[in-house]
Amino acid sequence: GAVVSQHPSWVICKSGTSVKIECRSLDFQATTMFWYRQFPKQSLMLMATSNEGSKATYEQGVEKDKFLINHASLTLSTLTVTSAHPEDSSFYICSARGLDRPNQPQHFGDGTRLSIL
Amino acid sequence: QQPVQSPQAVILREGEDAVINCSSSKALYSVHWYRQKHGEAPVFLMILLKGGEQKGHEKISASFNEKKQQSSLYLTASQLSYSGTYFCGTEGENRDDKIIFGKGTRLHILP
Protein backbone atom coordinates (compact mmCIF):
# COMPACT_ATOMS: atom_id res chain seq x y z
CA GLY A 1 0.00 0.00 0.00
CA ALA A 2 0.88 3.66 -0.23
CA VAL A 3 3.47 4.81 2.25
CA VAL A 4 4.13 8.25 3.60
CA SER A 5 7.30 8.81 5.57
CA GLN A 6 7.57 11.61 8.09
CA HIS A 7 10.79 12.64 9.76
CA PRO A 8 11.75 13.19 12.50
CA SER A 9 9.44 11.24 14.85
CA TRP A 10 10.41 13.22 17.95
CA VAL A 11 11.93 16.63 18.43
CA ILE A 12 12.85 18.22 21.73
CA CYS A 13 14.45 21.64 21.50
CA LYS A 14 14.85 24.96 23.22
CA SER A 15 12.52 27.88 22.78
CA GLY A 16 13.51 30.07 19.82
CA THR A 17 14.77 27.19 17.70
CA SER A 18 13.38 26.58 14.21
CA VAL A 19 12.36 23.01 13.46
CA LYS A 20 11.93 21.41 10.04
CA ILE A 21 9.69 18.40 9.51
CA GLU A 22 9.80 16.40 6.28
CA CYS A 23 6.98 14.49 4.65
CA ARG A 24 7.72 12.13 1.77
CA SER A 25 5.47 9.95 -0.34
CA LEU A 26 7.55 6.85 -0.98
CA ASP A 27 5.71 4.97 -3.70
CA PHE A 28 3.34 7.44 -5.32
CA GLN A 29 3.29 11.00 -6.58
CA ALA A 30 1.50 13.33 -4.23
CA THR A 31 -0.01 16.33 -5.93
CA THR A 32 -1.39 17.51 -2.64
CA MET A 33 -0.01 17.22 0.87
CA PHE A 34 -1.71 18.30 4.04
CA TRP A 35 -0.34 19.36 7.39
CA TYR A 36 -2.31 18.74 10.55
CA ARG A 37 -1.79 19.53 14.19
CA GLN A 38 -3.23 17.42 16.95
CA PHE A 39 -3.38 18.19 20.67
CA PRO A 40 -3.84 15.32 23.15
CA LYS A 41 -7.27 13.68 22.90
CA GLN A 42 -8.38 16.16 20.27
CA SER A 43 -9.09 16.04 16.58
CA LEU A 44 -6.77 16.56 13.65
CA MET A 45 -6.81 20.25 12.86
CA LEU A 46 -5.90 21.11 9.29
CA MET A 47 -3.19 23.74 9.20
CA ALA A 48 -2.51 24.05 5.49
CA THR A 49 -2.84 22.43 2.09
CA SER A 50 0.33 22.19 0.08
CA ASN A 51 0.36 21.79 -3.71
CA GLU A 52 3.51 20.97 -5.60
CA GLY A 53 5.12 24.03 -7.13
CA SER A 54 2.75 26.57 -5.64
CA LYS A 55 2.20 28.43 -2.40
CA ALA A 56 0.48 26.62 0.42
CA THR A 57 -3.07 27.49 1.36
CA TYR A 58 -3.33 28.14 5.08
CA GLU A 59 -6.40 27.67 7.21
CA GLN A 60 -7.83 30.60 9.09
CA GLY A 61 -5.89 31.38 12.22
CA VAL A 62 -2.68 29.64 11.12
CA GLU A 63 0.28 32.02 10.89
CA LYS A 64 1.98 31.50 7.56
CA ASP A 65 5.15 33.23 8.74
CA LYS A 66 5.29 30.93 11.72
CA PHE A 67 4.64 27.69 9.87
CA LEU A 68 6.54 27.74 6.59
CA ILE A 69 5.53 25.10 4.08
CA ASN A 70 7.48 24.13 1.00
CA HIS A 71 6.32 21.54 -1.54
CA ALA A 72 9.33 21.31 -3.80
CA SER A 73 8.50 18.09 -5.61
CA LEU A 74 5.73 15.55 -6.09
CA THR A 75 7.20 13.46 -3.27
CA LEU A 76 8.38 15.97 -0.67
CA SER A 77 6.79 18.64 1.46
CA THR A 78 8.39 20.32 4.46
CA LEU A 79 6.96 22.21 7.42
CA THR A 80 9.26 24.55 9.29
CA VAL A 81 8.14 25.83 12.66
CA THR A 82 10.07 29.07 12.99
CA SER A 83 11.24 30.41 16.35
CA ALA A 84 9.28 27.72 18.16
CA HIS A 85 7.84 28.40 21.61
CA PRO A 86 6.32 26.05 24.21
CA GLU A 87 2.80 26.71 22.89
CA ASP A 88 3.90 25.22 19.56
CA SER A 89 4.45 21.86 21.27
CA SER A 90 2.10 19.39 19.63
CA PHE A 91 1.79 16.33 17.40
CA TYR A 92 2.21 17.33 13.76
CA ILE A 93 1.02 14.91 11.09
CA CYS A 94 1.31 15.14 7.34
CA SER A 95 -0.75 13.33 4.78
CA ALA A 96 -0.54 12.94 1.04
CA ARG A 97 -2.96 12.27 -1.75
CA GLY A 98 -2.15 10.82 -5.16
CA LEU A 99 -2.88 11.96 -8.69
CA ASP A 100 -6.03 9.90 -9.24
CA ARG A 101 -8.45 11.59 -6.90
CA PRO A 102 -11.93 10.23 -6.53
CA ASN A 103 -11.13 6.97 -4.80
CA GLN A 104 -7.87 7.99 -3.25
CA PRO A 105 -7.62 8.35 0.51
CA GLN A 106 -5.18 10.55 2.30
CA HIS A 107 -2.25 8.51 3.53
CA PHE A 108 -0.80 9.70 6.80
CA GLY A 109 2.76 9.83 7.96
CA ASP A 110 3.59 8.55 11.44
CA GLY A 111 3.62 12.06 12.89
CA THR A 112 6.21 14.21 14.63
CA ARG A 113 5.96 14.88 18.33
CA LEU A 114 7.39 18.36 18.95
CA SER A 115 8.30 19.45 22.47
CA ILE A 116 9.62 22.95 23.03
CA LEU A 117 11.32 23.57 26.35
CA GLN B 1 -17.34 23.34 8.82
CA GLN B 2 -16.30 20.50 11.06
CA PRO B 3 -18.51 17.41 10.80
CA VAL B 4 -20.27 16.29 13.95
CA GLN B 5 -19.60 12.81 15.25
CA SER B 6 -21.68 10.85 17.71
CA PRO B 7 -21.37 9.35 20.17
CA GLN B 8 -18.26 10.92 21.69
CA ALA B 9 -17.27 7.67 23.36
CA VAL B 10 -18.41 4.06 23.46
CA ILE B 11 -17.49 1.18 25.75
CA LEU B 12 -18.35 -2.29 24.48
CA ARG B 13 -17.66 -5.87 25.37
CA GLU B 14 -15.86 -7.98 22.81
CA GLY B 15 -18.34 -9.34 20.28
CA GLU B 16 -20.84 -6.48 20.59
CA ASP B 17 -21.77 -4.13 17.76
CA ALA B 18 -21.33 -0.38 17.47
CA VAL B 19 -22.47 2.40 15.17
CA ILE B 20 -20.64 5.70 14.83
CA ASN B 21 -22.36 8.57 13.08
CA CYS B 22 -20.98 11.53 11.18
CA SER B 23 -23.07 14.42 9.90
CA SER B 24 -22.28 17.57 8.00
CA SER B 25 -24.12 20.83 7.41
CA LYS B 26 -22.69 21.22 3.91
CA ALA B 27 -23.07 19.23 0.69
CA LEU B 28 -20.44 16.54 0.53
CA TYR B 29 -18.43 14.86 -2.18
CA SER B 30 -16.90 12.17 0.00
CA VAL B 31 -16.60 10.86 3.53
CA HIS B 32 -13.41 9.27 4.84
CA TRP B 33 -13.12 7.05 7.91
CA TYR B 34 -9.93 6.57 9.91
CA ARG B 35 -8.98 4.83 13.14
CA GLN B 36 -6.23 6.18 15.37
CA LYS B 37 -4.61 4.34 18.25
CA HIS B 38 -2.96 6.26 21.06
CA GLY B 39 0.33 7.83 20.01
CA GLU B 40 0.03 6.64 16.43
CA ALA B 41 -1.02 8.16 13.13
CA PRO B 42 -4.53 7.61 11.77
CA VAL B 43 -5.05 4.51 9.67
CA PHE B 44 -7.32 4.63 6.65
CA LEU B 45 -10.45 2.46 6.79
CA MET B 46 -12.55 3.48 3.80
CA ILE B 47 -13.82 6.23 1.52
CA LEU B 48 -17.43 6.71 0.50
CA LEU B 49 -18.22 8.86 -2.48
CA LYS B 50 -21.28 10.88 -3.40
CA GLY B 51 -23.83 8.47 -4.80
CA GLY B 52 -25.01 6.85 -1.60
CA GLU B 53 -22.37 4.19 -1.30
CA GLN B 54 -22.13 1.45 1.19
CA LYS B 55 -18.79 -0.24 1.66
CA GLY B 56 -17.49 -3.08 3.73
CA HIS B 57 -14.14 -4.09 5.13
CA GLU B 58 -14.21 -7.39 7.05
CA LYS B 59 -16.56 -6.69 9.93
CA ILE B 60 -16.39 -2.94 9.49
CA SER B 61 -18.73 -1.32 7.00
CA ALA B 62 -20.06 2.14 6.31
CA SER B 63 -22.85 3.94 4.51
CA PHE B 64 -23.22 7.44 3.08
CA ASN B 65 -26.59 9.13 2.73
CA GLU B 66 -25.83 12.16 0.56
CA LYS B 67 -29.34 13.59 0.91
CA LYS B 68 -28.91 13.83 4.65
CA GLN B 69 -25.14 14.48 4.42
CA GLN B 70 -24.65 11.70 6.90
CA SER B 71 -22.39 8.70 7.14
CA SER B 72 -22.39 5.83 9.58
CA LEU B 73 -19.64 3.37 10.45
CA TYR B 74 -20.77 -0.08 11.55
CA LEU B 75 -18.57 -2.30 13.67
CA THR B 76 -19.96 -5.80 14.06
CA ALA B 77 -18.79 -8.48 16.49
CA SER B 78 -16.15 -6.08 17.75
CA GLN B 79 -12.66 -7.32 18.53
CA LEU B 80 -10.16 -5.97 21.04
CA SER B 81 -8.12 -4.59 18.15
CA TYR B 82 -10.98 -2.26 17.22
CA SER B 83 -10.26 -0.05 20.22
CA GLY B 84 -9.14 3.44 19.31
CA THR B 85 -10.49 6.77 18.20
CA TYR B 86 -12.50 6.85 15.00
CA PHE B 87 -12.49 9.99 12.89
CA CYS B 88 -14.69 10.82 9.97
CA GLY B 89 -13.35 13.33 7.47
CA THR B 90 -15.51 15.13 4.96
CA GLU B 91 -14.72 16.67 1.60
CA GLY B 92 -17.09 19.27 0.21
CA GLU B 93 -18.79 19.25 -3.17
CA ASN B 94 -16.48 22.03 -4.33
CA ARG B 95 -13.75 19.37 -4.27
CA ASP B 96 -11.10 21.72 -2.99
CA ASP B 97 -9.10 18.72 -1.78
CA LYS B 98 -9.54 19.67 1.86
CA ILE B 99 -10.68 17.02 4.27
CA ILE B 100 -12.01 18.31 7.56
CA PHE B 101 -12.10 15.85 10.44
CA GLY B 102 -14.69 15.49 13.17
CA LYS B 103 -13.76 15.47 16.84
CA GLY B 104 -13.59 11.71 16.93
CA THR B 105 -15.36 8.87 18.71
CA ARG B 106 -13.38 6.97 21.34
CA LEU B 107 -14.13 3.27 21.26
CA HIS B 108 -12.99 0.99 24.06
CA ILE B 109 -13.51 -2.75 23.79
CA LEU B 110 -13.50 -4.77 26.99
CA PRO B 111 -12.54 -8.47 26.99
Side-chain angles (χ1 to χ4, degrees):
Chain A
V3 178
V4 174
S5 171
Q6 191 172 337
H7 177 80
S9 300
W10 284 84
V11 181
I12 301 174
C13 56
K14 290 183 179 179
S15 187
T17 307
S18 291
V19 178
K20 182 188 271 190
I21 303 169
E22 289 189 351
C23 181
R24 293 180 186 271
S25 56
L26 296 184
D27 56 357
F28 67 102
Q29 291 184 319
T31 48
T32 308
M33 288 186 170
F34 304 88
W35 288 95
Y36 292 86
R37 184 174 182 175
Q38 187 177 35
F39 291 106
K41 297 187 179 179
Q42 293 192 24
S43 184
L44 298 137
M45 299 306 298
L46 181 64
M47 298 174 67
T49 302
S50 166
N51 291 299
E52 185 264 339
S54 62
K55 287 185 179 179
T57 303
Y58 289 82
E59 294 300 300
Q60 197 170 14
V62 178
E63 298 176 61
K64 56 183 71 175
D65 294 331
K66 174 77 171 175
F67 300 100
L68 300 178
I69 291 171
N70 183 275
H71 194 153
S73 73
L74 283 171
T75 59
L76 174 64
S77 176
T78 60
L79 167 68
T80 302
V81 183
T82 61
S83 188
H85 292 286
E87 59 266 27
D88 298 323
S89 298
S90 189
F91 189 48
Y92 293 87
I93 313 177
C94 73
S95 68
R97 206 168 189 184
L99 287 170
D100 298 321
R101 278 200 54 248
N103 296 317
Q104 285 293 313
Q106 286 189 21
H107 298 282
F108 284 89
D110 287 337
T112 297
R113 203 162 295 282
L114 177 61
S115 295
I116 309 298
L117 306 176
Chain B
Q1 293 92 335
Q2 187 176 39
V4 177
Q5 283 186 239
S6 64
Q8 287 183 309
V10 184
I11 301 176
L12 297 176
R13 292 210 174 273
E14 199 174 4
E16 292 182 336
D17 302 339
V19 180
I20 300 171
N21 299 303
C22 174
S23 64
S24 174
S25 58
K26 64 176 185 179
L28 299 177
Y29 174 72
S30 63
V31 178
H32 304 233
W33 285 97
Y34 288 81
R35 176 172 60 215
Q36 185 180 31
K37 293 195 181 274
H38 181 68
E40 299 179 9
V43 171
F44 170 72
L45 294 176
M46 63 191 78
I47 283 183
L48 298 105
L49 303 179
K50 180 179 174 179
E53 282 194 313
Q54 182 148 0
K55 278 193 172 181
H57 178 74
E58 296 182 346
K59 293 178 182 175
I60 301 175
S61 61
S63 62
F64 177 25
N65 184 325
E66 67 181 85
K67 287 184 181 178
K68 293 184 177 180
Q69 309 305 331
Q70 290 176 351
S71 178
S72 294
L73 185 72
Y74 307 94
L75 304 163
T76 56
S78 56
Q79 304 168 15
L80 293 175
S81 61
Y82 288 2
S83 291
T85 301
Y86 289 78
F87 292 100
C88 73
T90 55
E91 183 179 8
E93 262 193 335
N94 61 358
R95 299 176 68 175
D96 61 0
D97 258 350
K98 286 197 308 188
I99 296 175
I100 305 299
F101 288 91
K103 291 186 177 180
T105 296
R106 277 197 287 283
L107 177 65
H108 188 63
I109 310 293
L110 299 172

